[in-house]
Amino acid sequence: MKYLLSTLSILFLFISCNKAEKSNLNIIKEAIVTPYIPVLSFEAALAKADTILKTLTIDEKINLIGGHDFFFAEGVKKYNIPRLYMSDATQGIHIRRELPGQLEKSTAFPCPILMAATWNPALTQKIATSVGEECRAGGIHVLLAPGMNIYRISQNGRNFEYFGEDPYLTSRHIENYVVGIQNTGTISTLKHFLCNNNEFHRRRTNVIVDERTIHEIYTPAFQAGINAGALAVMTSYNQINGEYAGESKYVITDLLRNQLGFKGLVMSDWWSVWDPEKTMTSGMDLEMPGERIIDNPDLIAMGDIFVRSNAKRLLKESKVAETDIDRMAKHVIALSLEIGLDKHDIKDESYLTKFPEHEKIALQTAKEGIVLLKNNGVLPVSKDKKILITGDFVETMARGLGSAEVDGYNIVTMLNAFKTEFGNNLMYIKNPTNEELAKADIVLVSIGTLDSEGYDKPFALPKETNDKILNSATQNKNTIVIINSGGGLEMTPWNNQVAGIIYGWYVGQNGNTALAEIVSGKTNPSGKLPISIEKQFSDSPGGTYLPEGTELYTGWGPDMDMKEPMLNINYKEGVLVGYRWYDTKKINPLYAFGHGLSYTTFAFSDLKLSSKEMKATQNMKVTFTLTNNGNVDGAEVTQLYIQDPESSVVRPVKELKGFKKVFLKKGESAVIEMELMPRDLSFYDVTTKSWKAEAGQFNILVGNASDNIILKESLTYIEK
Ligand code: BGC
């Protein structure tokens, strides 16, 4: 078994190399690391919180169940329960300069979708540990991360904060993130539960989604985070099937707590609940940010929506019970006890010495997560070539905005990075003439988008951007496009004309060094897409998500426009998200999930299953050989998909159920070993409300991209 569903001991994957008994090849396996072990178990923390609660007045209890001063939850001083400081987020700490006692600087790591593109969750854990250490240095008790909403549509303004389109890949990163953060003593918050897959009018979106899709696509990453020991969960802005997530008993109590087994603290996203009675009886514990009225007429017009100011009235009117308030307050107190915050101060400035190490981890992640999409042979570029660089993000660092924004320090711009790598052979010209374009050996064109929460961005690039690229490609056949963006963009207008395309996502404060090294060949690219990039937006599963009569906007204003009616977003594609959609509908994306080029080549051979039959009580070993048969050292991401050719329900053509990034020197081979368990063959059966694998034939597919399956074997699943 590879991930924690039935036993805690088998949750995590990491590389371990053993010598094979019969051959000389290294065996590279998926293996395990331990989930976060709380300082005090949830049950013990709750019991202790209960004794504390008994000494508090009703006002003191109510004071605990809503936030204070925008980013704080109240503590109980006499019992050493600290006032909790909460901070964003997954790609590093967003420093709130307006608050006192803040860190002077925080590391801007590559964004989460780039972390996902490394296909190396161990690196994600290292980033999380680093972020946790910076939290400790800055006195941050609760990190409002990791974010893990699935990439349903390329236009989602927040895709950069998440880990792509596949639940399995996302889950492996999330469990590592949670362990990395919490082992430093900082609380991790899984967000946003649930189905916040677009930013377009996120507060007025009603997501219509079926139960099977919820379980197969939208909850597995949360399940992985819960199994890894995450202590907090944040609900989302949107409604789910007619109810706001943060007010929904189905979402919080039935699904999150009872079905997924989450025991810890549930908080709301900032101004996302409107009915205090519903909120308090849904299973919610903490309304954030509490009673700070921001200067927004639409929110003010919502009236007195806050839990704290309404709790006493609701109690008097018997609309809520004191046990509701107790449950909420108890969870807030228990949160600190579980991670031992009553025992030590969170702030520990000795962690400031770790920053240089964090920079190294950021750089390594960028090296592994930048994706070489296209290369007609122009790359790598030798250092004697005359390079012209131009475009949007040469002098400034492209990054995601909103609550996840991180300024960073020691910023390496693209210009500096390429100067360091190519010296005087690099020329930066803002608006090159055709003659200048034609004269260069190589032209690098930087383009992209600055994505943000609060609004979505168009998939199509502005006409001027496309024209600029096309003109460069016309003048110079060695035009390479470098893209910085939080998700897929439309490349069809010039994809065939350019010589190379590199997807840089948001590389973080020093990731441009990785980019320049990939261009020069000093670093061999090994990133793979954690998303499919469609040819045109209407090809994609959510391609028609904008309700009739609406259009995209920018800025945060319309996001707060609560007077307007709700907008239904129907997830009618069901479980067919990402490559599951393109495969099943036989629509070719421009670049497929899992795709990414290297400067070396790899051969896959010798696929073997430990048995031809698999029983419900059995796991199965899958092994195959990988050889670096090219001319340079490099890493390949081996990917294992399962396929159920015959099923009583619609199943995707293939589903990722294993992967391993493997570094091999040129000429070297290794045996890769993965383990499959019956759950990997299953779908969520809504009639029995459980996971079900149907007896019969399954295919095991192994390759290096979802559209490049190289090896195939079959097995028979026997239910009993
Ligand atoms: C975001 C959350 C974030 C919160 C606090 C909200 O706008 O949706 O992800 O944690 O703000 O900054």
Side-chain angles (χ1 to χ4, degrees), residues 71 88 96 144 158 191-192 234 237 269-270 403 453:
F71 285 109
D88 293 290
R96 306 277 172 188
L144 302 170
R158 260 184 130 164
K191 72 185 190 185
H192 309 85
M234 184 191 292
Y237 282 112
D269 201 342
W270 273 231
S403 61
E453 70 174 280

Side-chain angles (χ1 to χ4, degrees), residues 163 166-176 219-222 224-225:
F163 291 82
D166 183 71
Y168 184 87
L169 178 62
T170 302
S171 298
R172 305 289 75 80
H173 284 276
I174 291 305
E175 59 199 13
N176 276 279
T219 58
F222 287 93

Side-chain angles (χ1 to χ4, degrees), residues 70-71 86-89 94 96 144-145 158 161-162 191-192 196 199 202-203 234-235 237 267-271 402-404 453 556 559:
F70 209 79
F71 285 109
M86 308 181 176
S87 182
D88 293 290
H94 179 151
R96 306 277 172 188
L144 302 170
R158 260 184 130 164
E161 291 189 56
Y162 308 139
K191 72 185 190 185
H192 309 85
N196 186 179
E199 289 296 294
R202 58 185 173 174
R203 285 185 170 86
M234 184 191 292
T235 54
Y237 282 112
M267 72 174 82
S268 72
D269 201 342
W270 273 231
W271 297 291
S403 61
E453 70 174 280
W556 289 47
D559 175 36

